[in-house]
């Protein structure tokens, strides 16, 4: 009896030890995945990448890094070259209000499409009521005709009547119809707005600066600006890695995300873009590494797009001149904004004819294994690189996470240090299981 108990006890101990070992191995493997992803994010958001934008060819530096990672994995890779015209702000940047030097991004910012300037300008207050009324504006211009060519019109957005979005849209219309003789505009703001390159593919005839409104007093007379912002054709590229399928290689799965970001506001401000979207790029690379060792039945294309911040240009370049037959693409998974994730993630285009099964599979797996806090649906919208594929009839979804610690959206504090990966292992595992379930 005692011998049986001893044997049972020893047997149970071995089972417990074995299970403990396997559990520790599993944890270690996922920890290693997180460590590798962290290194990708750290590298991609470093100063050497120049914000992966158009200044200093930061996007091309990042593209070479991505291609090198594919090569290190033993994955065939190539570029899909294309290009577009845009602004690139390089070199010193300074702003002096009266005689006080302003702090970049803390006190002021220049719109990424603001043309080069190197002069001292008169600050001339104007209200939106005058600015957006043809008769009132004409009277204003006649009154100030002598000084307008050397003036920046100042609008205090913190006290302006009406919708600020209407003022912004009106300013954008001036790109097509530059009817004002002034050199540009200064908008007094409570907070510096996010940078966006959506309007930066065409020249803008006016300087556009944002300055904290509480710094500009009634006695403020002039603003000195000095910076260079070049508008030119910008050659760039998508980066593609390919892992052949094991049994149905004629069919294709695309796993993608954009690697570009906002670049720099000259030498004054760097936009690291850790969350947006070094995190998605790192996850695509992590998946490439995983599926190289555990290939899907279908050939898998790992596509890192440039030009997303300028209007999904890299993904449109891919679908407009596809290096593959799009009719053979069974599914496209787009990964964007993947740091944090403590509150789960959202699936954009979750109810599409070719995508709802994938969404339901993710929900089902998560209900059993509890890998993410939540898997939430959202209808399709043109907010990331899945959209050009869905327009072409390719089943495509966009995954982004919710909650958790990250830096600000399109802000200089979107850094590696502010990018949490606490929810990453579970979300990665869930997405992999979802992809492996595609038939």
């Amino acid at each position: 009896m005692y011998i049986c108990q001893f044997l049972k006890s020893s047997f149970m101990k071995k089972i417990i030890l074995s299970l403990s070992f396997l559990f520790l191995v599993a944890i270690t493997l996922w920890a290693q995945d997180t460590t590798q992803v962290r290194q990708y994010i750290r590298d991609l958001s470093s100063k050497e990448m120049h914000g992966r934008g158009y200044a200093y060819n930061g996007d091309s530096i990042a593209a070479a890094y991505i291609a090198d990672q594919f090569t290190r994995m033993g994955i065939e890779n190539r570029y899909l070259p294309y290009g577009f015209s845009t602004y690139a702000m390089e070199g010193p940047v300074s702003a002096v209000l009266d005689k006080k030097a302003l702090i970049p991004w803390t006190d002021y910012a220049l719109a990424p499409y603001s043309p080069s300037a190197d002069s001292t300008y008169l600050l001339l207050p104007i209200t939106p009521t005058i600015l957006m009324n043809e008769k009132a504006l004409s009277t204003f211009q006649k009154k100030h005709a002598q000084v307008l060519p050397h003036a920046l019109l100042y609008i205090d957005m913190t006290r302006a009547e009406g919708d600020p979005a209407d003022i912004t849209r009106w300013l954008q219309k001036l790109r097509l119809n530059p009817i004002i003789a002034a050199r540009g505009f200064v908008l007094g703001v409570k907070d510096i707005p996010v940078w966006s390159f959506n309007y930066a593919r065409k020249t803008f005839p006016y300087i556009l600066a944002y300055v904290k409104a509480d710094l500009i007093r009634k006695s403020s007379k002039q603003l000195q600006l000095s910076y260079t912002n070049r508008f030119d054709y910008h050659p760039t590229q998508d980066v593609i890695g390919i892992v052949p399928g094991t049994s149905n290689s004629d069919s294709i799965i695309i796993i993608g995300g954009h690697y570009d970001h906002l670049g720099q506001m000259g030498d004054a401000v760097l936009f690291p873009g850790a969350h947006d979207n070094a995190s998605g790029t790192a996850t695509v690379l992590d998946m490439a590494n995983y599926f190289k060792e555990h290939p899907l039945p279908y050939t898998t294309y790992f596509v890192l797009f440039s030009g997303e911040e300028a209007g999904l240009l890299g993904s449109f370049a891919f679908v407009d001149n596809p290096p593959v037959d799009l009719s053979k693409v069974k599914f496209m998974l787009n990964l964007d904004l993947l740091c944090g994730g403590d509150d789960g993630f959202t699936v954009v285009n979750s109810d599409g004819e070719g995508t709802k099964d994938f969404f339901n599979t993710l929900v089902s797996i998560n209900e059993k294994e509890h890998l993410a806090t939540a898997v939430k649906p959202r209808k399709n919208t043109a907010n990331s690189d899945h959209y050009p594929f869905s327009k072409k009839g390719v089943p495509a979804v966009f995954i982004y996470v919710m909650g958790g610690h990250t830096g600000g959206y399109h802000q200089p504090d979107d850094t590696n240090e502010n990018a949490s990966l606490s929810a990453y292992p579970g979300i990665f595992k869930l997405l992999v299981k979802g992809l492996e379930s595609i038939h």
Side-chain angles (χ1 to χ4, degrees), residues 214-297:
D214 58 3
L215 297 175
I216 300 180
R217 300 177 176 85
K218 289 183 179 180
S219 59
S220 296
K221 298 296 183 183
Q222 59 186 27
L223 181 65
Q224 179 184 347
L225 294 174
S226 180
Y227 63 93
T228 301
N229 200 13
R230 184 185 72 255
F231 184 84
D232 206 351
Y233 181 80
H234 182 77
T236 186
Q237 57 283 307
D238 298 337
V239 189
I240 303 169
I242 305 168
V243 173
T246 57
S247 59
N248 191 2
S249 58
D250 282 344
S251 293
I252 296 167
I253 299 288
I254 295 176
I255 302 172
H258 75 92
Y259 69 87
D260 69 305
H261 192 52
L262 303 173
Q264 298 186 198
M265 191 180 90
D267 293 345
V269 179
L270 171 73
F271 297 91
H275 182 39
D276 182 20
N277 185 36
S279 64
T281 302
T283 307
V284 173
L285 290 173
D286 200 20
M287 287 192 169
N289 202 24
Y290 177 86
F291 286 119
K292 176 65 167 62
E293 301 302 321
H294 309 88
L296 293 166

XYZ file of all heavy atoms in Angstrom, residues 214-297:
646
model
N -2.464 81.983 -24.912
C -2.150 82.772 -23.707
C -0.793 83.461 -23.798
O -0.443 84.274 -22.930
C -2.228 81.903 -22.452
C -1.296 80.706 -22.490
O -0.530 80.574 -23.472
O -1.337 79.889 -21.555
N -0.016 83.157 -24.841
C 1.267 83.831 -25.033
C 1.123 85.117 -25.843
O 2.011 85.973 -25.841
C 2.253 82.902 -25.743
C 2.650 81.622 -25.007
C 3.534 80.770 -25.900
C 3.369 81.960 -23.712
N 0.007 85.228 -26.556
C -0.189 86.389 -27.438
C -1.108 87.392 -26.747
O -2.288 87.130 -26.501
C -0.786 85.952 -28.790
C 0.171 84.964 -29.489
C -1.049 87.165 -29.681
C -0.328 84.475 -30.827
N -0.569 88.548 -26.439
C -1.325 89.611 -25.769
C -1.737 90.675 -26.785
O -1.277 90.674 -27.926
C -0.481 90.228 -24.648
C -0.061 89.221 -23.580
C 0.830 89.880 -22.527
N 1.150 88.950 -21.446
C 2.154 88.084 -21.479
N 2.939 88.028 -22.556
N 2.373 87.275 -20.458
N -2.579 91.591 -26.343
C -2.999 92.672 -27.231
C -1.813 93.517 -27.686
O -1.832 94.110 -28.760
C -4.025 93.554 -26.522
C -5.378 92.888 -26.328
C -6.366 93.844 -25.697
C -7.730 93.174 -25.520
N -8.724 94.102 -24.889
N -0.777 93.510 -26.848
C 0.405 94.307 -27.176
C 1.369 93.589 -28.127
O 2.340 94.189 -28.599
C 1.156 94.677 -25.890
O 1.558 93.494 -25.193
N 1.127 92.312 -28.402
C 2.017 91.549 -29.294
C 1.964 92.134 -30.693
O 0.872 92.326 -31.263
C 1.610 90.076 -29.316
O 1.767 89.491 -28.038
N 3.122 92.398 -31.270
C 3.189 93.097 -32.548
C 3.735 92.248 -33.690
O 3.320 92.409 -34.844
C 4.063 94.347 -32.405
C 3.549 95.380 -31.410
C 2.224 95.956 -31.848
C 1.766 97.041 -30.881
N 0.423 97.578 -31.239
N 4.669 91.342 -33.391
C 5.321 90.659 -34.502
C 5.762 89.247 -34.133
O 5.968 88.925 -32.963
C 6.511 91.465 -34.987
C 7.573 91.712 -33.928
C 8.669 92.649 -34.406
O 8.439 93.484 -35.273
N 9.855 92.527 -33.837
N 5.870 88.420 -35.169
C 6.342 87.050 -35.019
C 7.424 86.790 -36.055
O 7.198 86.947 -37.259
C 5.184 86.051 -35.214
C 5.533 84.570 -35.061
C 5.951 84.257 -33.623
C 4.353 83.692 -35.464
N 8.582 86.419 -35.557
C 9.690 86.078 -36.448
C 9.725 84.566 -36.637
O 9.741 83.801 -35.668
C 11.011 86.558 -35.852
C 12.224 86.230 -36.702
C 13.517 86.640 -36.029
O 13.508 87.376 -35.047
N 14.631 86.147 -36.539
N 9.747 84.122 -37.896
C 9.776 82.686 -38.216
C 10.945 82.398 -39.138
O 11.235 83.171 -40.067
C 8.475 82.257 -38.905
C 7.191 82.326 -38.078
C 5.984 82.005 -38.958
C 7.253 81.384 -36.887
N 11.602 81.279 -38.867
C 12.707 80.850 -39.731
C 12.710 79.326 -39.815
O 12.903 78.644 -38.800
C 14.043 81.360 -39.191
O 15.107 80.948 -40.033
N 12.492 78.795 -41.006
C 12.506 77.343 -41.236
C 12.464 77.089 -42.740
O 12.094 77.960 -43.533
C 11.314 76.662 -40.550
C 9.977 77.115 -41.078
C 9.321 76.433 -42.105
C 9.355 78.255 -40.565
C 8.100 76.859 -42.592
C 8.144 78.696 -41.047
C 7.512 77.989 -42.064
O 6.308 78.429 -42.561
N 12.839 75.884 -43.127
C 12.809 75.479 -44.531
C 11.900 74.269 -44.680
O 12.061 73.264 -43.980
C 14.222 75.117 -45.031
O 15.072 76.245 -44.880
C 14.189 74.692 -46.493
N 10.944 74.367 -45.587
C 10.002 73.275 -45.842
C 9.932 73.044 -47.348
O 9.288 73.806 -48.076
C 8.624 73.622 -45.275
C 7.758 72.392 -45.061
O 8.242 71.264 -45.107
N 6.478 72.607 -44.815
N 10.603 72.021 -47.803
C 10.731 71.748 -49.241
C 9.535 70.948 -49.751
O 9.145 69.940 -49.166
C 12.017 70.957 -49.483
C 12.333 70.695 -50.958
C 13.542 69.802 -51.117
N 13.274 68.422 -50.735
C 13.691 67.854 -49.611
N 14.403 68.553 -48.729
N 13.411 66.592 -49.349
N 8.947 71.406 -50.856
C 7.888 70.641 -51.528
C 8.484 70.026 -52.779
O 8.984 70.727 -53.649
C 6.704 71.534 -51.895
C 5.552 70.774 -52.507
C 4.625 70.141 -51.694
C 5.412 70.683 -53.876
C 3.563 69.430 -52.249
C 4.355 69.983 -54.447
C 3.426 69.343 -53.626
N 8.439 68.690 -52.869
C 9.103 68.013 -53.978
C 8.509 66.621 -54.149
O 7.763 66.130 -53.291
C 10.608 67.912 -53.691
C 11.438 67.828 -54.964
O 10.841 67.683 -56.058
O 12.673 67.918 -54.864
N 8.871 65.980 -55.259
C 8.470 64.588 -55.475
C 9.270 63.691 -54.543
O 10.499 63.810 -54.446
C 8.717 64.178 -56.926
C 8.299 62.741 -57.221
C 6.958 62.434 -57.456
C 9.240 61.717 -57.249
C 6.578 61.129 -57.719
C 8.860 60.416 -57.513
C 7.525 60.125 -57.744
O 7.143 58.830 -57.994
N 8.585 62.813 -53.868
C 9.219 61.951 -52.869
C 9.116 60.488 -53.298
O 8.037 59.892 -53.225
C 8.552 62.139 -51.511
C 9.167 61.317 -50.422
N 10.359 61.656 -49.805
C 8.772 60.146 -49.845
C 10.653 60.751 -48.888
N 9.712 59.826 -48.896
N 10.220 59.884 -53.750
C 10.184 58.452 -54.070
C 10.160 57.625 -52.792
O 10.874 57.921 -51.832
C 11.486 58.228 -54.852
C 12.396 59.300 -54.377
C 11.535 60.487 -54.018
N 9.335 56.608 -52.771
C 9.227 55.757 -51.595
C 8.895 54.337 -52.035
O 8.971 54.024 -53.229
C 8.180 56.321 -50.611
O 8.193 55.553 -49.408
C 6.787 56.327 -51.207
N 8.487 53.484 -51.095
C 8.278 52.090 -51.427
C 7.508 51.358 -50.332
O 7.601 51.704 -49.156
C 9.629 51.365 -51.618
C 10.558 51.446 -50.418
C 11.251 52.774 -50.260
O 11.887 53.264 -51.183
N 11.090 53.386 -49.086
N 6.718 50.374 -50.755
C 6.216 49.357 -49.839
C 7.283 48.272 -49.752
O 8.087 48.099 -50.678
C 4.907 48.749 -50.346
C 3.784 49.766 -50.456
O 3.848 50.797 -49.756
O 2.843 49.528 -51.236
N 7.295 47.542 -48.652
C 8.242 46.439 -48.475
C 7.449 45.150 -48.313
O 6.522 45.085 -47.499
C 9.144 46.651 -47.247
C 10.255 45.601 -47.219
C 9.750 48.048 -47.246
N 7.818 44.131 -49.086
C 7.051 42.887 -49.132
C 7.934 41.708 -48.769
O 9.028 41.543 -49.321
C 6.469 42.670 -50.546
C 5.603 43.859 -50.962
C 5.665 41.366 -50.607
C 5.222 43.841 -52.433
N 7.480 40.880 -47.836
C 8.114 39.604 -47.528
C 7.168 38.474 -47.890
O 5.946 38.608 -47.740
N 7.698 37.358 -48.371
C 6.853 36.277 -48.897
C 7.250 34.950 -48.267
O 8.420 34.551 -48.314
C 6.974 36.170 -50.428
C 6.655 37.526 -51.086
C 6.045 35.082 -50.977
C 7.027 37.592 -52.555
N 6.263 34.244 -47.696
C 6.449 32.887 -47.183
C 5.531 31.964 -47.967
O 4.303 32.110 -47.912
C 6.128 32.805 -45.673
C 6.166 31.360 -45.196
C 7.109 33.648 -44.874
N 6.062 30.996 -48.732
C 5.229 30.103 -49.553
C 4.292 29.257 -48.693
O 4.612 28.895 -47.556
C 6.255 29.222 -50.269
C 7.535 29.979 -50.210
C 7.499 30.739 -48.919
N 3.121 28.957 -49.237
C 2.170 28.098 -48.554
C 2.594 26.640 -48.619
O 3.373 26.229 -49.481
N 2.059 25.845 -47.711
C 2.447 24.426 -47.627
C 1.640 23.534 -48.550
O 2.134 22.503 -49.001
C 2.282 23.929 -46.191
O 0.925 24.134 -45.770
C 3.228 24.663 -45.258
N 0.379 23.896 -48.844
C -0.458 22.989 -49.639
C -1.334 23.694 -50.655
O -1.800 23.091 -51.605
C -1.360 22.154 -48.705
O -2.191 23.005 -47.926
N -1.561 24.986 -50.466
C -2.431 25.728 -51.381
C -1.770 27.062 -51.694
O -2.307 28.132 -51.406
C -3.808 25.932 -50.736
C -4.839 26.448 -51.715
O -4.550 26.634 -52.894
N -6.050 26.696 -51.229
N -0.600 26.984 -52.277
C 0.238 28.182 -52.443
C -0.301 29.150 -53.482
O 0.177 30.281 -53.576
C 1.671 27.766 -52.811
O 1.679 27.001 -53.996
N -1.293 28.742 -54.277
C -1.883 29.673 -55.239
C -2.797 30.692 -54.568
O -3.077 31.742 -55.137
C -2.674 28.910 -56.303
C -1.759 28.285 -57.354
O -0.589 28.691 -57.415
O -2.213 27.394 -58.083
N -3.272 30.370 -53.376
C -4.086 31.319 -52.622
C -3.186 32.122 -51.686
O -2.138 31.639 -51.255
C -5.151 30.576 -51.812
O -6.099 29.971 -52.682
N -3.625 33.331 -51.380
C -2.741 34.278 -50.679
C -3.451 34.880 -49.464
O -4.640 35.221 -49.517
C -2.309 35.411 -51.635
C -1.462 34.842 -52.783
C -1.535 36.504 -50.897
C -1.250 35.822 -53.922
N -2.702 34.994 -48.381
C -3.095 35.780 -47.224
C -2.141 36.975 -47.132
O -0.928 36.810 -47.281
C -2.998 34.964 -45.914
C -3.923 33.752 -45.944
C -3.292 35.858 -44.703
C -5.384 34.070 -45.816
N -2.666 38.172 -46.905
C -1.822 39.355 -46.731
C -1.926 39.833 -45.285
O -3.026 40.039 -44.770
C -2.223 40.494 -47.688
C -1.975 40.088 -49.140
C -1.439 41.774 -47.368
C -2.433 41.121 -50.160
N -0.774 39.980 -44.642
C -0.696 40.561 -43.306
C 0.099 41.858 -43.449
O 1.256 41.830 -43.880
C -0.007 39.616 -42.310
C -0.764 38.280 -42.246
C 0.081 40.255 -40.928
C -0.050 37.214 -41.427
N -0.516 42.983 -43.132
C 0.145 44.251 -43.425
C -0.050 45.309 -42.357
O -0.800 45.135 -41.389
N 0.629 46.411 -42.552
C 0.537 47.579 -41.686
C 1.447 48.653 -42.252
O 2.348 48.352 -43.046
N 1.234 49.892 -41.873
C 2.084 50.958 -42.420
C 3.275 51.210 -41.502
O 3.144 51.207 -40.277
C 1.276 52.239 -42.660
C 0.915 53.031 -41.447
N 1.700 54.064 -40.958
C -0.151 52.968 -40.614
C 1.127 54.606 -39.894
N 0.008 53.955 -39.650
N 4.428 51.426 -42.132
C 5.646 51.690 -41.357
C 5.997 53.168 -41.318
O 6.832 53.589 -40.520
C 6.823 50.882 -41.903
C 7.334 51.316 -43.272
C 8.292 52.319 -43.393
C 6.879 50.697 -44.435
C 8.774 52.707 -44.636
C 7.357 51.070 -45.683
C 8.301 52.072 -45.778
O 8.770 52.454 -47.008
N 5.375 53.984 -42.166
C 5.710 55.409 -42.189
C 5.065 56.130 -41.014
O 4.109 55.641 -40.404
C 5.252 56.042 -43.499
C 3.729 56.116 -43.611
O 3.079 55.060 -43.473
O 3.183 57.214 -43.816
N 5.607 57.302 -40.697
C 4.993 58.156 -39.691
C 5.165 59.613 -40.140
O 5.293 59.874 -41.336
C 5.571 57.887 -38.304
C 4.801 58.505 -37.188
N 3.443 58.330 -37.042
C 5.177 59.329 -36.175
C 3.024 59.006 -35.983
N 4.053 59.624 -35.445
N 5.209 60.545 -39.225
C 5.140 61.966 -39.548
C 6.496 62.620 -39.790
O 6.558 63.738 -40.292
C 4.433 62.720 -38.417
C 3.026 62.226 -38.083
C 2.506 62.952 -36.842
C 2.080 62.425 -39.245
N 7.557 61.932 -39.390
C 8.884 62.501 -39.607
C 9.266 63.538 -38.577
O 9.173 63.305 -37.377
N 9.659 64.719 -39.041
C 10.161 65.765 -38.150
C 9.624 67.136 -38.540
O 9.399 67.408 -39.725
C 11.696 65.812 -38.193
C 12.364 64.549 -37.726
C 13.877 64.668 -37.636
O 14.575 63.675 -37.594
N 14.385 65.890 -37.574
N 9.455 67.988 -37.542
C 9.210 69.408 -37.784
C 10.576 70.072 -37.762
O 10.992 70.688 -36.780
C 8.287 69.992 -36.718
C 7.768 71.390 -37.050
S 6.674 72.064 -35.779
C 7.863 72.911 -34.718
N 11.306 69.896 -38.857
C 12.681 70.341 -38.905
C 13.507 69.642 -37.836
O 13.193 68.524 -37.418
N 14.559 70.279 -37.395
C 15.393 69.701 -36.339
C 14.810 69.938 -34.945
O 15.379 69.486 -33.952
C 16.805 70.307 -36.402
C 17.538 69.900 -37.665
O 17.086 68.940 -38.330
O 18.548 70.547 -38.005
N 13.672 70.657 -34.873
C 13.124 71.059 -33.577
C 12.291 69.975 -32.916
O 12.294 69.835 -31.695
C 12.276 72.315 -33.747
N 11.546 69.180 -33.716
C 10.598 68.216 -33.148
C 10.674 66.913 -33.933
O 10.604 66.901 -35.167
C 9.148 68.752 -33.194
C 8.183 67.725 -32.615
C 9.030 70.071 -32.450
N 10.803 65.809 -33.190
C 10.790 64.465 -33.775
C 9.490 63.771 -33.378
O 9.071 63.821 -32.222
C 11.981 63.652 -33.265
C 11.987 62.157 -33.624
C 12.300 61.966 -35.098
C 12.983 61.397 -32.753
N 8.856 63.120 -34.335
C 7.673 62.305 -34.073
C 8.078 60.830 -34.160
O 8.175 60.271 -35.257
C 6.569 62.617 -35.078
C 6.067 64.027 -35.000
C 6.640 65.019 -35.780
C 5.043 64.376 -34.135
C 6.185 66.335 -35.710
C 4.589 65.693 -34.050
C 5.168 66.667 -34.838
N 8.329 60.169 -33.018
C 8.863 58.798 -33.050
C 7.883 57.767 -33.598
O 8.289 56.791 -34.234
C 9.194 58.516 -31.579
C 9.257 59.853 -30.919
C 8.267 60.702 -31.645
N 6.570 57.944 -33.312
C 5.575 57.024 -33.862
C 5.696 55.604 -33.368
O 5.589 54.662 -34.153
N 5.895 55.404 -32.063
C 6.014 54.046 -31.524
C 4.695 53.287 -31.629
O 4.635 52.167 -32.157
C 6.479 54.107 -30.069
N 3.622 53.893 -31.133
C 2.295 53.276 -31.205
C 1.771 53.315 -32.633
O 1.212 52.339 -33.137
C 1.370 54.027 -30.237
C -0.022 53.496 -30.135
N -0.320 52.154 -30.136
C -1.221 54.147 -30.005
C -1.632 51.996 -30.000
N -2.187 53.187 -29.933
N 1.994 54.458 -33.302
C 1.493 54.683 -34.661
C 2.663 54.917 -35.619
O 3.078 56.059 -35.813
C 0.554 55.889 -34.665
C -0.054 56.171 -36.021
O -0.075 55.267 -36.864
O -0.508 57.314 -36.239
N 3.189 53.906 -36.304
C 2.738 52.544 -36.210
C 3.935 51.597 -36.216
O 3.984 50.617 -36.935
C 1.785 52.214 -37.360
C 1.180 50.841 -37.261
O 0.878 50.353 -36.196
N 1.027 50.196 -38.404
N 4.953 51.978 -35.404
C 6.040 51.019 -35.202
C 5.488 49.730 -34.597
O 5.984 48.634 -34.888
C 7.104 51.614 -34.288
N 4.426 49.858 -33.787
C 3.843 48.687 -33.134
C 3.239 47.723 -34.149
O 3.432 46.505 -34.058
C 2.778 49.122 -32.128
O 1.692 49.768 -32.772
N 2.501 48.255 -35.131
C 1.927 47.389 -36.157
C 2.996 46.768 -37.039
O 2.927 45.590 -37.405
N 4.008 47.582 -37.380
C 5.119 47.070 -38.182
C 5.840 45.951 -37.443
O 6.167 44.905 -38.023
C 6.104 48.210 -38.495
O 5.414 49.255 -39.184
C 7.259 47.723 -39.343
N 6.083 46.172 -36.157
C 6.758 45.155 -35.342
C 5.942 43.874 -35.266
O 6.491 42.767 -35.288
C 7.000 45.704 -33.937
N 4.625 44.002 -35.184
C 3.764 42.822 -35.120
C 3.775 42.057 -36.435
O 3.782 40.817 -36.446
C 2.326 43.226 -34.746
O 2.354 44.004 -33.553
C 1.458 42.011 -34.518
N 3.786 42.786 -37.553
C 3.895 42.115 -38.856
C 5.207 41.342 -38.941
O 5.244 40.189 -39.394
C 3.781 43.131 -40.013
C 4.062 42.445 -41.357
C 2.397 43.765 -40.034
N 6.293 41.959 -38.488
C 7.587 41.265 -38.493
C 7.565 40.061 -37.558
O 8.122 38.998 -37.878
C 8.694 42.232 -38.083
C 9.046 43.328 -39.088
C 10.035 44.322 -38.478
C 9.616 42.733 -40.371
N 6.932 40.206 -36.418
C 6.814 39.102 -35.467
C 6.019 37.946 -36.076
O 6.362 36.768 -35.913
C 6.149 39.600 -34.190
C 6.405 38.697 -32.993
O 7.373 37.907 -33.038
O 5.657 38.787 -32.016
N 4.944 38.283 -36.795
C 4.151 37.252 -37.457
C 4.926 36.596 -38.599
O 4.815 35.390 -38.832
C 2.843 37.845 -37.971
C 1.846 38.149 -36.877
S 0.202 38.521 -37.520
C -0.742 38.490 -35.981
N 5.721 37.397 -39.301
C 6.557 36.830 -40.359
C 7.513 35.799 -39.788
O 7.706 34.706 -40.347
C 7.327 37.941 -41.068
N 8.118 36.128 -38.656
C 9.035 35.211 -37.988
C 8.316 33.929 -37.554
O 8.829 32.819 -37.704
C 9.651 35.913 -36.776
C 10.954 35.290 -36.347
O 11.645 34.646 -37.137
N 11.288 35.448 -35.082
N 7.089 34.098 -37.033
C 6.316 32.940 -36.581
C 5.901 32.054 -37.755
O 6.089 30.828 -37.727
C 5.071 33.411 -35.820
C 4.170 32.282 -35.386
C 4.394 31.612 -34.188
C 3.121 31.852 -36.197
C 3.595 30.549 -33.795
C 2.307 30.797 -35.817
C 2.550 30.149 -34.618
O 1.757 29.095 -34.245
N 5.342 32.660 -38.792
C 4.820 31.868 -39.910
C 5.927 31.344 -40.820
O 5.692 30.440 -41.630
C 3.788 32.669 -40.697
C 2.472 32.809 -39.983
C 1.978 34.057 -39.634
C 1.731 31.688 -39.635
C 0.769 34.178 -38.959
C 0.521 31.794 -38.963
C 0.037 33.041 -38.628
N 7.135 31.891 -40.708
C 8.272 31.271 -41.401
C 8.537 29.885 -40.810
O 8.883 28.938 -41.531
C 9.514 32.158 -41.232
C 10.795 31.574 -41.826
C 10.699 31.448 -43.336
C 12.052 31.165 -43.969
N 12.644 29.886 -43.537
N 8.356 29.761 -39.498
C 8.562 28.485 -38.815
C 7.304 27.622 -38.801
O 7.385 26.391 -38.688
C 9.025 28.740 -37.372
C 10.306 29.539 -37.266
C 11.452 28.873 -38.002
O 11.563 27.622 -37.944
O 12.239 29.600 -38.657
N 6.135 28.246 -38.914
C 4.859 27.512 -38.897
C 4.013 28.007 -40.064
O 2.980 28.673 -39.859
C 4.113 27.744 -37.579
C 4.944 27.516 -36.357
N 5.717 28.511 -35.791
C 5.128 26.412 -35.603
C 6.339 28.031 -34.729
N 6.004 26.755 -34.593
N 4.412 27.710 -41.300
C 3.749 28.301 -42.469
C 2.282 27.891 -42.595
O 1.892 26.785 -42.230
C 4.580 27.790 -43.651
C 5.291 26.592 -43.144
C 5.526 26.818 -41.687
N 1.491 28.818 -43.113
C 0.087 28.556 -43.404
C -0.034 27.724 -44.687
O 0.914 27.651 -45.475
C -0.656 29.883 -43.579
C -0.798 30.759 -42.331
C -1.241 32.167 -42.718
C -1.777 30.134 -41.357
N -1.190 27.115 -44.933
C -1.384 26.416 -46.204
C -1.266 27.365 -47.396
O -0.874 26.966 -48.487
C -2.808 25.851 -46.095
C -3.104 25.818 -44.637
C -2.354 26.965 -44.041
